[in-house]
Amino acid sequence: MAWIWKSVLLVIAGMILLRVAGRKSISQMSVATTVIMISIGTTIVQPIANNQLWKALGSAAIFIVALLIIEYLQVKFNWLENLMSGRSKIVIENGQINSKNLRSVRMTVDQLEMRLRQNGISNVSDVKYATLEPNGEIGYELMQHAKPVTIGELERILDLKSGKDLEQSGLFQEIKTNHHTPIDPKLQ
């Protein structure tokens, strides 16, 4: 009967520790997060077999603390974020597939086209920029002619109010130029 309460305690402790680690889906996990989550799963199962309950909980807690420290350091130091998570890669630029970057991320043109179709994009030439993000997602900006009309643009078109130039592409420009937008130190 002791194994039942140990199992329940391990499940509850595991859920609490993972809650402390943060809310990320599997696709958003970094390499460090994935390794630590697998380690926690392995560590939590061991005590049932060898009666080392408190050592397993302590080990899992150390893994979570290590994860929190790594994530904090990634926020503080951009070079560490680049080392641990990688950088976004431009895979489409001005409607043209960047074959070199596509090969470097080990993605085929068919896989890229599939991901674009899943995002409702039917033509590569309609994409101004597309990036493969470190979490595996595709980010994209459409060409001006392919963008849906927003309320603000509609108001400007109908001369209801004046608007500013919408040609800015700040997030993709940051990746292209390899310069990060400065962050207010109070936010770090």
Side-chain angles (χ1 to χ4, degrees):
M1 284 304 231
W3 64 272
I4 293 175
W5 75 265
K6 286 181 182 180
S7 298
V8 170
L9 181 63
L10 286 171
V11 168
I12 292 170
M15 288 173 25
I16 290 169
L17 289 170
L18 292 176
R19 176 66 179 98
V20 169
R23 298 180 188 192
K24 290 185 179 177
S25 70
I26 299 295
S27 66
Q28 295 173 325
M29 286 186 183
S30 66
V31 173
T33 308
T34 305
V35 168
I36 287 173
M37 295 305 169
I38 291 169
S39 299
I40 288 171
T42 304
T43 302
I44 285 179
V45 170
Q46 289 299 318
I48 295 171
N50 60 19
N51 294 324
Q52 301 276 330
L53 179 66
W54 299 112
K55 285 183 182 178
L57 291 176
S59 295
I62 289 169
F63 289 145
I64 295 298
V65 169
L67 176 63
L68 294 174
I69 290 169
I70 290 169
E71 288 179 342
Y72 173 77
L73 291 174
Q74 285 181 341
V75 169
K76 286 301 240 183
F77 302 106
N78 196 33
W79 64 269
L80 186 61
E81 178 190 17
N82 291 339
L83 179 69
M84 298 296 288
S85 301
R87 299 194 51 80
S88 300
K89 293 273 190 174
I90 296 176
V91 291
I92 298 176
E93 193 168 3
N94 294 319
Q96 300 294 314
I97 294 175
N98 185 325
S99 300
K100 179 183 169 199
N101 285 351
L102 204 58
R103 276 192 303 276
S104 75
V105 296
R106 296 181 307 277
M107 179 181 271
T108 67
V109 173
D110 288 337
Q111 291 169 332
L112 176 62
E113 289 173 344
M114 175 188 68
R115 304 277 288 280
L116 291 173
R117 284 191 300 273
Q118 290 172 340
N119 284 307
I121 300 168
S122 58
N123 196 340
V124 173
S125 64
D126 288 342
V127 179
K128 185 173 184 177
Y129 291 106
T131 56
L132 183 64
E133 303 299 333
N135 67 358
E137 297 292 321
I138 295 282
Y140 63 92
E141 178 183 6
L142 296 173
M143 295 280 199
Q144 193 66 27
H145 70 272
K147 288 182 181 180
V149 177
T150 65
I151 299 291
E153 292 169 328
L154 186 58
E155 288 174 342
R156 196 183 80 237
I157 290 168
L158 298 174
D159 286 331
L160 297 176
K161 70 176 189 178
S162 63
K164 54 185 174 179
D165 189 1
L166 300 172
E167 196 59 34
Q168 293 293 333
S169 59
L171 293 175
F172 291 96
Q173 195 64 29
E174 180 180 302
I175 294 168
K176 185 177 178 186
T177 62
N178 206 16
H179 289 107
H180 283 287
T181 307
I183 297 175
D184 184 356
K186 295 175 192 171
L187 297 175
Q188 291 188 358

